[in-house]
């Protein structure tokens, strides 16, 4: 994760400069990496989450076997089909595909008519996926599509520590 984030920072020097300027402004003022300090570096937090969206450390995850009666997956809004998933089926989550699919990240994205968003490159850094209208970091905007640490009851217990370590190392 750190390697790919440094690669992204090198690839986009304008974003690297924005992050440097943000850190320079807050570190001179007795910055602490607690919850209050983290609110002062929204762009760096957004960059960390964007790095994990573009290059998830575990691109496939959440492998589970269904141990009860099957169920249906209603995918009609995506491909017009309803899929039956029988008992004993092994399912996994393609975390990389979720991070690269614009319909998960762009409000009102229409996969059937994407003329409006035809120039969106999901391999580029989009800090706006994580920043609100006031420039503050928020996971509420796209947090449901972020699977780098899995999601829900079975998400990674060390997620908050890993993110903070990630931020500290990048800030250094």
């Amino acid at each position: 994760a750190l390697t790919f984030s440094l690669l992204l920072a090198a690839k986009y020097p304008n974003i690297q400069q924005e992050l440097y300027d943000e850190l320079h402004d807050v570190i001179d003022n007795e910055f602490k990496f607690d919850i209050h300090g983290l609110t002062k570096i929204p762009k760096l937090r957004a960059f960390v989450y964007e790095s994990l969206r573009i290059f998830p450390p575990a691109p496939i995850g959440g492998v589970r076997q269904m141990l009860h009666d099957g169920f249906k997956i209603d995918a009609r809004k995506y491909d017009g089909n309803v899929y039956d998933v029988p008992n004993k089926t092994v399912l996994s989550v393609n975390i990389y595909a979720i991070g690269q699919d614009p319909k998960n990240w762009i409000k009102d994205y229409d996969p059937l008519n994407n003329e409006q968003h035809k120039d969106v490159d999901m391999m580029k850094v989009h800090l706006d996926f994580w920043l609100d209208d006031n420039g503050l970091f928020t996971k509420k905007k796209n947090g449901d599509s972020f699977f780098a640490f899995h999601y829900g009851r079975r998400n990674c217990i060390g997620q908050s520590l890993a993110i903070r370590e990630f931020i500290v190392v990048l800030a250094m």
Side-chain angles (χ1 to χ4, degrees), residues 9 12-24 43:
Y12 300 103
N14 57 330
I15 292 176
Q16 185 182 94
Q17 187 63 47
E18 285 181 47
L19 299 175
Y20 175 82
D21 292 343
E22 179 181 74
L23 282 167
H24 188 267
K43 288 181 183 176

Side-chain angles (χ1 to χ4, degrees), residues 49-139:
Y49 278 83
E50 247 325 75
S51 297
L52 292 168
R53 177 193 67 81
I54 296 169
F55 299 112
I60 303 291
V63 177
R64 304 282 187 268
Q65 181 178 17
M66 301 308 301
L67 297 177
H68 54 77
D69 291 339
F71 64 95
K72 294 185 182 302
I73 296 176
D74 186 353
R76 285 180 284 196
K77 74 178 193 177
Y78 302 109
D79 64 9
N81 295 313
V82 175
Y83 298 95
D84 286 317
V85 180
N87 189 16
K88 303 289 184 189
T89 299
V90 176
L91 300 172
S92 65
V93 178
N94 187 338
I95 297 167
Y96 181 79
I98 292 169
Q100 297 303 311
D101 193 337
K103 75 177 176 284
N104 296 323
W105 302 93
I106 300 171
K107 186 179 179 186
D108 300 325
Y109 181 82
D110 182 359
L112 302 176
N113 180 15
N114 65 355
E115 191 64 30
Q116 177 185 357
H117 302 106
K118 69 180 179 183
D119 295 331
V120 174
D121 182 355
M122 295 303 289
M123 288 301 288
K124 286 188 176 178
V125 175
H126 298 277
L127 297 180
D128 57 308
F129 288 172
W130 303 100
L131 300 175
D132 65 13
D133 294 337
N134 298 320
L136 299 174
F137 176 82
T138 180
K139 281 177 56 176

